[in-house]
């Protein structure tokens, strides 16, 4: 099963009532070593304008596990 950013956002919203940004999902995916493409609007490869906050990382990782993206 795959997890698009919209389905992951909806999953987190439904289960926790919190809204998350797609850039946070990308940050968590890169922290977990998942293959990523570089977004065309990315300002820098070494800097994140909106890094994922500590409270959101476990919520996103849980949603990714439910979608079969993380083991």
């Amino acid at each position: 099963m795959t997890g698009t950013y919209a389905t992951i956002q909806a999953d987190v919203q439904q289960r926790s009532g919190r809204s998350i940004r797609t850039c946070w999902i990308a940050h968590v995916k890169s922290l977990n070593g998942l293959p990523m493409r570089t977004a065309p609007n990315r300002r820098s490869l070494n800097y994140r304008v909106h890094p994922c906050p500590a409270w959101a990382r476990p919520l996103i990782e849980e949603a990714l596990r439910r979608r079969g993206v993380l083991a």
Side-chain angles (χ1 to χ4, degrees):
M1 181 184 277
T2 61
T4 65
Y5 285 51
T7 59
I8 293 166
Q9 281 180 309
D11 183 86
V12 171
Q13 174 70 36
Q14 179 185 16
R15 293 180 183 271
S16 69
R18 306 288 304 258
S19 294
I20 59 168
R21 294 176 171 219
T22 55
C23 57
W24 296 351
I25 298 170
H27 187 202
V28 170
K29 286 174 76 174
S30 69
L31 290 172
N32 284 289
L34 295 172
M36 301 288 298
R37 292 181 294 188
T38 302
N41 61 342
R42 180 101 187 248
R43 293 182 183 165
S44 170
L45 294 176
N46 302 320
Y47 172 74
R48 291 194 176 271
V49 176
H50 302 286
C52 183
W55 64 264
R57 185 174 178 180
L59 299 174
I60 295 169
E61 287 176 340
E62 183 181 336
L64 290 170
R65 283 188 191 92
R66 276 195 297 279
R67 300 278 175 231
V69 178
L70 282 180

